Amino acid sequence: AIDQPLLEVSGLEAGYGESDVLHRLSFAVRQGEVVTLLGRNGAGKTTTLKAIMGLIAKRSGSIRFEGNETIGLSPRRIARLGIAHCPEDRGIFSSLDVRENLMLPPVIKEGGLHIDEIFDLFPNLRNRLTSQGTKLSGGEQQMLAIARILRTGSRLLLLDEPTEGLAPVIVEQIGRTIKRLKDLSYTIVLVEQNFHFARSVAERHFVIEHGRVVDEIADGDLSASLEKLNAYLGV
Ligand code: ATP
């Protein structure tokens, strides 16, 4: 169907051992859309991304990608469908240099960016090719983490707080990169605590509280929703 979302999460339950974190969490994303998951610390945003990626063993409900159920699939199989995840810690291997980190994830689909296209998007990385992971700034590590998944051919990118701890000028660069990725038709789910950043890159926002999506805010009604958001996020 033409209106079928690219990603459809419905009634998702997930948790760790004894603790249940997500409770019938639902949201959907269309092909080419950039959306954010907003919410306070501990609301369940990171857990949601991990559950989509299959990194949480204890999960039930439904997560459909291109119409196909992915609950029950291993992280590897999910990655091979074309879903990529940038974790909060960015996952850069400190003993490898930039080139090695870039080359690490396997190419899983046609349409992955060529290394030269990646350097067009991230010009800083070109000059850092032989620098070790540990020598990179936080911003460079974040750029590398995003750059790396673009090689794979994945079209759905799950980005966990890419702006965390970065200087405003770097946050701006990352914002520009995300807008360029949107222009290239990538679909992006972004976890954010920085609402100003979120509204500058995404057109829809899902507010998560206590493991549920409690509200959806679209670009058009943002100003009307600012007060509500203040209450949700305490900003
Ligand atoms: P943050 O920005 O702090 O990461 P979040 O909204 O992403 O916030 P999650 O990281 O998804 O929240 O955490 C949701 C809940 O799950 C929290 O109560 C957290 O303590 C718990 N939690 C997260 N990871 C684990 C784990 N590995 N084992 C047990 N509990 C966990």
Side-chain angles (χ1 to χ4, degrees), residues 14-22 37-50 56 88 160-161 164 191-193 208 211:
Y16 310 89
E18 298 282 279
S19 79
D20 299 322
V21 174
L22 305 183
L37 307 182
L38 293 171
R40 292 172 188 261
N41 277 334
K45 306 176 302 292
T46 294
T47 302
T48 302
L49 293 194
K50 284 187 181 166
I56 293 185
E88 217 164 359
D160 201 341
E161 285 203 62
E164 195 185 14
V191 163
E192 262 303 327
Q193 304 225 23
I208 300 188

Side-chain angles (χ1 to χ4, degrees), residues 98-115:
V98 167
R99 180 195 293 278
E100 290 163 337
N101 267 289
L102 271 176
M103 292 304 178
L104 207 60
V107 174
I108 45 112
K109 276 196 179 264
E110 276 176 43
L113 296 190
H114 185 267
I115 201 95

Side-chain angles (χ1 to χ4, degrees), residues 80-95:
R80 287 175 60 184
L81 297 175
I83 305 178
H85 176 224
C86 269
E88 217 164 359
D89 70 5
R90 294 157 188 160
I92 300 304
F93 289 89
S94 49
S95 58

